[in-house]
Each structure stands twice: as C-alpha cells, then as structure tokens.
Amino acid sequence: MPIVPTSRPHTSASPSSVPISRPEIQPRARIRRPVPAVLQSVESSSNAIAVTPVEPGKGEYEVGYKKPPKHSQFKKGQSGNRKGRPKGAKGLNTIVRNIYTKKVTVRGASGSERMSKMEAIVHKTVEKSFSGDMRAIDKSLKLYAQCVPDEPIAVAAPVESASTADMDAHDKAILAAYRRTAREEDDE
C-alpha cells in the first residue's frame, strides 16, 4: 500500500508528526433492486401518479390528491380522533339553551304560572319598562324591533312641533333668549 504524505512539512521527530499510512478508499458497489411490475407501468415524468398494488381481481387504485394510500386510510369503525370529544359531552350553546328553556314557576297578579326562564326575563323587562325604568324601556323597544320587524314602533311626535300658543310669557322669554344665544354662536 502506498504511503500518503501529510499536508504539513516534517520538522521534528516527534511521534505526532510521523506520516500515517491509510488504505485507499474504494467506492461501494451499488445494488439495483428490481422494480415491481405494477410500478413499471407508471411514466417516469415528474407529474405522474404513483400506483400502489391492490388485491387481485380489483382495478388499480390511483394515489394522488384526496386519494391516500390504502394502508394509511382510516380503518372501518375506527375513529380518526380517538381522544376527541366524548359521547354525552355538551358544548356551551347546548348548556345555555338548556338553562334558558327550563321551566320555572312565576307568581304574578293573576296567580302562579309556569314558563321558561327566557319568558320570565322578557316579562320582567316589560314590567320594569311600565314602571318607568328607561333602560328597560330601551331594551324592550329594541327587542320588539328585532323580533317583530314587520310592524313599525309608534313613537310620540317630537316636542319641537308644539305650538307657542300653549306657552305662557315666562316660557316664551326663555325660548327667545335661547334663540338669541344660538344665533350669536352661529355668527362666530
């Protein structure tokens, strides 16, 4: 075997600087395995579809977009998400629906009555709006407009259209002073 010289020049007689002889590296021989007959029929182009062998008697199964190989498909009766939501588990929408649709007994002026919790809430809101609660009135009107869009809500005429004949002298003086200040602000 030939001795391969090192890249550094030999300057001293130390054991670390002695040239090392190595065997020549031989390339490994490649072994070509035979390709199955099913795969030989596929074109060698880059956009060819690979074909996997299937049971005899059935046609070839093409693997591609939305067609995974048979061995990696879900087995029949086996879940794809084994640790998924268990049977009987409820989502938030179901829980809220169940709570608001439960029946409760409400005592009113006409006696006891059974109704859902949602109905009781609407009754209470309407009752508060009749007692003069402005928030309840606003909520009731919005709820009515949302639930009954076909019927318009009758709104009282604005106060500005009232005639000055119903005012006394003091009210007329206040209105005149207000108009003067409004004109002065517009001029500025």
Side-chain angles (χ1 to χ4, degrees):
M1 287 196 192
I3 298 175
V4 179
T6 61
S7 60
R8 283 191 274 157
H10 184 64
T11 55
S12 67
S14 67
S16 64
S17 62
V18 176
I20 301 171
S21 63
R22 297 185 184 166
E24 195 173 309
I25 299 172
Q26 296 292 325
R28 197 171 67 186
R30 293 189 177 180
I31 303 171
R32 299 248 182 214
R33 294 194 173 96
V35 178
V38 175
L39 295 177
Q40 286 178 351
S41 64
V42 178
E43 297 175 358
S44 62
S45 66
S46 62
N47 60 358
I49 299 173
V51 177
T52 58
V54 291
E55 298 173 15
K58 294 186 178 180
E60 292 180 350
Y61 178 75
E62 293 185 6
V63 177
Y65 182 68
K66 292 189 178 181
K67 293 180 182 179
K70 287 284 186 187
H71 67 86
S72 65
Q73 292 179 4
F74 293 126
K75 308 298 181 256
K76 196 167 190 175
Q78 176 184 346
S79 171
N81 182 10
R82 294 180 188 189
K83 291 189 177 184
R85 190 171 95 174
K87 284 186 177 180
K90 297 177 183 174
L92 181 62
N93 292 344
T94 307
I95 293 170
V96 170
R97 187 182 313 110
N98 289 344
I99 288 174
Y100 278 110
T101 56
K102 280 188 179 176
K103 300 278 184 175
V104 291
T105 305
V106 178
R107 286 181 288 158
S110 62
S112 297
E113 188 179 347
R114 285 197 54 80
M115 60 180 73
S116 69
K117 289 181 180 180
M118 189 52 95
E119 280 183 273
I121 290 170
V122 173
H123 276 281
K124 188 67 175 178
T125 306
V126 171
E127 187 180 307
K128 279 185 148 188
S129 65
F130 279 122
S131 66
D133 186 356
M134 289 306 291
R135 281 189 178 170
I137 291 171
D138 187 44
K139 295 271 185 193
S140 315
L141 292 175
K142 284 181 181 176
L143 182 64
Y144 183 81
Q146 183 180 0
C147 296
V148 189
D150 301 335
E151 296 182 31
I153 299 174
V155 180
V159 179
E160 299 170 355
S161 65
S163 65
T164 56
D166 297 342
M167 295 187 211
D168 61 352
H170 180 68
D171 292 334
K172 289 179 182 177
I174 293 173
L175 186 60
Y178 173 74
R179 286 183 180 152
R180 270 180 282 165
T181 56
R183 279 191 213 123
E184 289 172 2
E185 289 176 3
D186 287 341
D187 292 339
E188 291 176 357

